[in-house]
Amino acid sequence: MSKYYIQLFSPHGLVRYHNPEIGRDSDTGGQVKYVLELIEALSSHEDIRKVDLFTRRISDRRVSPSYAENIETISESARIVRIKCGGQSYKKKESLWNYLDEFVDNTIRFIKEEDDIPDLFHGHYADGNYIARLLSKFYRVPFLATGHSLGMSKQRMLLEEGMKLQKINSAFKMDKRIQEEELTLKNAHSVITSTNFEILSQYKGYKELDKDKMVVIPPGINDRLFYPYYRQQMPSFELSIEQEQALHAITSEIERFLFDPNKPLILSIGRPDKRKNFETIIEAYGRDKELQTMANLAIFAGVRKDIGKMPEDEQTILTNLLLLMDKYDLYGKLAIPKKNDPNLEIPEIYRLAARKKGVFINATPGENFGLTLVEAAACGLPVIASPTGGPKEILETCENGILTDVTKPRSIAKAVKDIIADSTKWDQYSNKGIQGVSAHYSWSAHVEKYMDVVSNTIDHNKLSKGKSAVHKSIGNKLTHARYFLVTDLDGTLISETMPNDFTELEAWLDECGDDVVFGIATGRNQDLTRQAMNEFNFPDPDLVICSAGSELFYTKDFVPDDGWMHHISYRWNREKLERVMGASPKLKMQEKDAQWEFKLSYYVQEDFSQDDLANIYHLLDQNNLKVNVLLTDNLYLDFLPYRASKGNALKYLSYKWNVSLHQFITSGNGGNDKDMILGKTKGIVVANHSPEMEELRNKKDVYFAKQPLVSGIMEGIRHHIEK
């Protein structure tokens, strides 16, 4: 069996394998823990050759220098790869959407440098799925998706809390996120979920939902960290020094809050998030005097130093918890520690509560999964959770606790007392939890199911590729090609008035095979370019630059390069530009099919002069409009974004696919071809060129052919390659 190379994508948060800061903030929570444990589990599977976890490189004095390391080695077959994207400072995930195309481009460069194309991409959360989807498109490699949390669910929750839709979109980029989640559902080969509940409720409302693509694979737990509380008492068991220190630290941290630390311990752990429902747990405990005499309560609500310096929503949650402690006078009974280490201390917290015959509460209603429930169960701690969502499936599988209405304090209090007051029931729940997690929620079980999906997906993709040459990977070709031939279309490759013969070009392209990428660059838009391809039947292009350099596609299927569109949108204001040009008397708007979002095109009058062109530049300067102006044959005037042109598209391709501009051979015949012929490329000007091209004569690496059209292109190719 083939050994697979898998790339995982989790671009946001602070991601590192050694001493991960899980719970440091809302972006460094369960998803980060999930992908770190997944990569470790995958790396030990016999069918995995290599697995890389791609995340964002961060160089920011507010965080550890370890997040600036380009590569962190986990094992011989596993690495964390950090990609530059959106500057160097640490950013919240919502602010990264505008930079994800940069992440894609730099990942492509990394793949080329490594000369190792993966067998499968796996995205995590909407941003990771965006990256995986685009890479899948370029390399014709399948991709898996894991949503973790979904935009529609969060949007519904925020609307119910009274937030306006406009503010939601502004704060959380929710419209972009939901749009990407739809595209993920449409394009992913499989979508991995933790529970059936996630499929039925969280994905409800998505138009592209295909239940045949959905695969339930519950996440596992690290059984080296989360093991039964009684194991430490076994004669053969030895605690490491680090574990001893963690146990001592966490015991001291909890017990310093408590008058009688020997009582059973009610425990809850999570981020300071309203959905965690910590306030209701304190309400349940604070209102029930009997429960207070029976047990202590500990709430671990993330990591904090100074509440006043935390994000506003976290400030509110933590302040409310402290106010409730005061309201019910719970001093000496309630512990709200300020910090914990996720690797060493969190498991010891669960085991400490289990040794005290306590109980764990997950009070999040309708949670997708409920990983803390599985962790607690693995340590032998009985649990209480909501009768909806993932927790319901976990407790029904493991039979290790009570499902109750976690929105009602009385229900929580009753469930706690039912467990801690009955030692037989406590032992039953504890033992069943340990057994259930071992059977159903281990990472080894997860990876076995995961690898079944991977092998089936990759095998199916290979069969699909074999059926049609269309499925050939353009990414692979662009990565390994020796030359890039990019030619203008009208008047260079084809002509309405002269004979068109592509025989010599086709033979050369066939002979070169994957060594040459063939591209066309035209002022035509996408539709008119397709029309020319059908009418003239020239060789199928690998690259298509349309609308004078403002559109970039791959293959004859016109696969768009989303990164290019984002790149050229900088400082582009089409509406204002059209309004300003309306005052110029010598311009007439071209037909609708000549226009598009990033191109504004006009005809100019016969007497249009250099003075008129100077006046247009003056108008642009007056109105602070920075654009590219292309005048062709003194007939056509195109306005493009400042970053858009045929030449700039080639520079972008050079950067994205990590190829030298010296590898590009370009050909043209008119003014809007100048910037792709000049520079570091090897230029060809065909014999039937416009007068304005004469100024390029004698320029370095620009060859003026004696033949027109394709014959001139081939003449120039021979000159540049053979010289």
Side-chain angles (χ1 to χ4, degrees):
M1 181 184 288
S2 299
K3 298 249 182 197
Y4 301 126
Y5 173 25
I6 296 175
Q7 290 185 351
L8 311 174
F9 294 90
S10 182
H12 69 263
L14 298 169
V15 182
R16 68 184 183 192
Y17 178 74
H18 299 285
N19 302 314
E21 298 182 278
I22 307 299
R24 173 175 170 141
D25 58 26
S26 59
D27 286 352
T28 313
Q31 177 186 327
V32 171
K33 181 181 177 66
Y34 181 105
V35 294
L36 288 174
E37 293 185 352
L38 175 61
I39 188 175
E40 181 181 18
L42 282 174
S43 67
S44 61
H45 194 278
E46 61 182 1
D47 294 333
I48 291 294
R49 170 171 65 86
K50 182 166 65 173
V51 56
D52 287 332
L53 169 57
F54 285 72
T55 191
R56 181 169 171 260
R57 183 180 180 276
I58 299 161
S59 181
D60 187 327
R61 63 184 181 181
R62 297 171 297 173
V63 303
S64 168
S66 60
Y67 299 112
E69 295 175 7
N70 292 325
I71 293 179
E72 178 182 354
T73 300
I74 297 174
S75 67
E76 289 184 2
S77 57
R79 304 177 297 179
I80 294 175
V81 179
R82 297 188 179 93
I83 298 293
K84 290 181 181 179
C85 160
Q88 300 192 80
S89 63
Y90 183 42
K91 292 180 172 68
K92 299 287 286 182
K93 61 179 177 287
E94 289 82 11
S95 65
L96 288 177
W97 278 105
N98 289 336
Y99 306 106
L100 293 182
D101 292 304
E102 181 185 358
F103 197 109
V104 172
D105 291 353
N106 286 333
T107 301
I108 287 172
R109 292 172 62 83
F110 178 86
I111 290 171
K112 175 161 185 178
E113 288 165 3
E114 294 271 305
D115 194 20
D116 196 357
I117 296 172
D119 299 291
L120 182 132
F121 300 110
H122 184 175
H124 293 268
Y125 190 77
D127 49 12
N129 287 324
Y130 176 86
I131 294 164
R133 178 175 63 83
L134 293 189
L135 292 170
S136 170
K137 180 174 65 174
F138 291 137
Y139 290 103
R140 292 288 184 184
V141 168
F143 92 94
L144 305 182
T146 302
H148 292 281
S149 67
L150 299 176
M152 277 193 183
S153 299
K154 183 163 186 174
Q155 180 173 278
R156 282 194 296 267
M157 180 192 72
L158 294 173
L159 288 171
E160 288 170 2
E161 292 176 359
M163 187 180 279
K164 300 295 184 184
L165 184 59
Q166 185 177 359
K167 187 174 181 181
I168 293 172
N169 285 331
S170 174
F172 300 104
K173 302 294 187 291
M174 200 63 71
D175 49 354
K176 172 67 177 173
R177 177 174 167 184
I178 292 172
Q179 178 188 28
E180 179 51 41
E181 287 166 347
E182 291 281 16
L183 288 169
T184 292
L185 288 170
K186 181 178 181 180
N187 292 282
H189 293 74
S190 293
V191 178
I192 295 174
T193 68
S194 300
T195 58
N196 284 300
F197 168 80
E198 190 177 343
I199 301 171
L200 297 174
S201 65
Q202 302 301 298
Y203 281 97
K204 181 181 179 181
Y206 284 89
K207 297 175 183 176
E208 297 292 345
L209 174 62
D210 179 356
K211 291 183 180 178
D212 290 339
K213 286 185 177 183
M214 313 302 283
V215 183
V216 177
I217 311 179
I221 55 137
N222 187 334
D223 56 12
R224 297 195 311 275
L225 297 176
F226 299 97
Y227 52 79
Y229 69 96
Y230 50 72
R231 187 175 295 172
Q232 293 175 350
Q233 300 164 6
M234 299 294 180
S236 60
F237 186 85
E238 289 186 10
L239 277 176
S240 67
I241 292 175
E242 291 80 9
Q243 285 177 304
E244 288 178 356
Q245 291 172 336
L247 178 56
H248 173 72
I250 208 65
T251 302
S252 302
E253 179 68 14
I254 293 175
E255 292 187 352
R256 74 185 180 89
F257 286 89
L258 306 175
F259 293 145
D260 184 1
N262 294 318
K263 290 180 180 180
L265 185 64
I266 306 164
L267 176 66
S268 193
I269 298 175
R271 293 185 291 105
D273 187 316
K274 186 173 183 178
R275 291 172 296 176
K276 300 300 179 184
N277 214 16
F278 293 131
E279 294 174 35
T280 305
I281 298 173
I282 297 179
E283 291 272 2
Y285 184 74
R287 292 179 186 181
D288 195 314
K289 297 297 182 182
E290 181 184 23
L291 183 55
Q292 291 175 40
T293 64
M294 295 171 67
N296 295 312
L297 173 62
I299 303 284
F300 283 82
V303 177
R304 69 185 189 277
K305 291 182 180 179
D306 182 347
I307 293 177
K309 294 180 180 179
M310 297 178 74
E312 185 178 349
D313 56 340
E314 296 182 7
Q315 281 188 43
T316 301
I317 297 296
L318 291 165
T319 301
N320 287 345
L321 299 186
L322 296 173
L323 289 174
L324 284 169
M325 173 189 274
D326 191 71
K327 175 182 176 179
Y328 292 109
D329 193 19
L330 298 177
Y331 300 99
K333 304 172 185 177
L334 169 61
I336 309 180
K338 298 181 72 171
K339 63 183 179 65
N340 56 79
D341 175 81
N343 259 351
L344 292 173
E345 292 181 353
I346 289 291
E348 297 304 338
I349 295 169
Y350 289 124
R351 284 190 282 270
L352 177 65
R355 279 192 292 273
K356 292 178 182 294
K357 302 298 180 181
V359 66
F360 179 78
I361 303 174
N362 180 324
T364 306
E367 189 165 25
N368 282 347
F369 183 61
L371 186 61
T372 54
L373 292 171
V374 178
E375 293 173 346
C379 295
L381 185 60
V383 300
I384 293 168
S386 169
T388 60
K392 180 176 185 289
E393 294 183 33
I394 293 170
L395 266 71
E396 287 178 346
T397 299
C398 296
E399 299 178 332
N400 64 317
I402 295 175
L403 297 170
T404 192
D405 187 345
V406 292
T407 65
K408 294 180 179 179
R410 285 186 181 178
S411 298
I412 293 175
K414 181 180 184 304
V416 173
K417 289 189 287 187
D418 284 350
I419 294 174
I420 63 176
D422 186 337
S423 60
T424 302
K425 183 180 288 186
W426 191 96
D427 288 338
Q428 180 184 10
Y429 285 155
S430 176
N431 292 333
K432 285 197 171 184
I434 293 167
Q435 295 165 6
V437 170
S438 177
H440 302 286
Y441 298 104
S442 68
W443 273 113
S444 58
H446 178 99
V447 167
E448 287 304 319
K449 294 179 182 176
Y450 181 95
M451 290 306 298
D452 284 343
V453 174
V454 168
S455 59
N456 290 336
T457 301
I458 292 173
D459 289 346
H460 180 268
N461 189 62
K462 286 178 179 176
L463 287 173
S464 297
K465 280 184 177 181
K467 290 178 181 178
S468 171
V470 171
H471 290 279
K472 189 173 187 178
S473 164
I474 184 61
N476 196 6
K477 187 170 185 178
L478 289 165
T479 299
H480 295 102
R482 185 179 177 190
Y483 292 111
F484 287 64
L485 171 63
V486 182
T487 176
D488 173 51
L489 189 59
D490 293 285
T492 305
L493 184 66
I494 62 173
S495 172
E496 299 280 358
T497 59
M498 301 170 66
N500 294 285
D501 184 359
F502 308 111
T503 306
E504 188 179 3
L505 174 62
E506 288 173 336
W508 181 71
L509 291 174
D510 286 342
E511 180 184 346
C512 293
D514 287 348
D515 279 346
V516 172
V517 168
F518 174 55
I520 55 175
T522 175
R524 296 187 185 215
N525 64 17
Q526 180 184 165
D527 291 337
L528 292 175
T529 303
R530 287 180 187 271
Q531 182 179 316
M533 289 169 63
N534 293 330
E535 180 181 350
F536 291 91
N537 198 30
F538 49 80
D540 290 338
D542 301 304
L543 297 172
V544 185
I545 300 169
C546 293
S547 299
S550 59
E551 294 183 277
L552 176 58
F553 303 96
Y554 299 94
T555 77
K556 66 177 184 180
D557 296 328
F558 285 76
V559 177
D561 190 315
D562 298 318
W564 175 244
M565 286 191 290
H566 181 262
H567 177 72
I568 66 174
S569 65
Y570 176 71
R571 293 189 64 177
W572 173 248
N573 189 335
R574 194 183 193 283
E575 290 182 3
K576 181 179 179 181
L577 178 62
E578 185 175 345
R579 195 166 57 247
V580 169
M581 287 302 108
S584 184
K586 293 192 175 182
L587 300 184
K588 178 185 176 184
M589 183 85 75
Q590 290 186 30
E591 294 77 11
K592 187 176 180 179
D593 61 5
Q595 317 289 344
W596 95 287
E597 182 183 356
F598 294 109
K599 176 172 167 282
L600 183 62
S601 298
Y602 293 88
Y603 297 112
V604 301
Q605 291 184 1
E606 289 184 8
D607 59 347
F608 190 82
S609 66
Q610 290 299 311
D611 288 346
D612 295 318
L613 186 59
N615 288 334
I616 283 174
Y617 277 111
H618 181 62
L619 262 178
L620 293 170
D621 187 58
Q622 277 185 320
N623 288 276
N624 195 30
L625 287 166
K626 196 170 185 181
V627 297
N628 263 340
V629 182
L630 300 177
L631 179 63
T632 304
D633 297 335
N634 213 53
L635 294 174
Y636 312 107
L637 190 66
D638 295 320
F639 295 96
L640 306 176
Y642 174 67
R643 291 178 171 176
S645 70
K646 292 180 179 180
N648 284 341
L650 297 189
K651 291 175 185 175
Y652 174 81
L653 286 164
S654 169
Y655 174 82
K656 180 169 192 148
W657 297 98
N658 199 12
V659 294
S660 169
L661 281 170
H662 293 297
Q663 293 174 249
F664 284 79
I665 302 172
T666 58
S667 60
N669 77 314
N672 67 6
D673 302 320
K674 283 183 182 179
D675 77 328
M676 77 168 180
I677 290 176
L678 287 171
K680 296 179 180 179
T681 67
K682 304 179 192 310
I684 302 167
V685 179
V686 293
N688 56 303
H689 61 265
S690 302
E692 66 262 26
M693 299 298 281
E694 280 297 325
E695 64 184 67
L696 304 188
R697 197 176 287 276
N698 299 322
K699 294 285 186 182
K700 182 182 178 183
D701 283 333
V702 177
Y703 177 77
F704 274 70
K706 299 178 178 61
Q707 300 293 321
L709 299 175
V710 178
S711 297
I713 296 172
M714 294 309 302
E715 179 186 335
I717 289 171
R718 287 190 293 272
H719 168 81
H720 285 301
I721 290 181
E722 294 173 5
K723 74 172 184 179

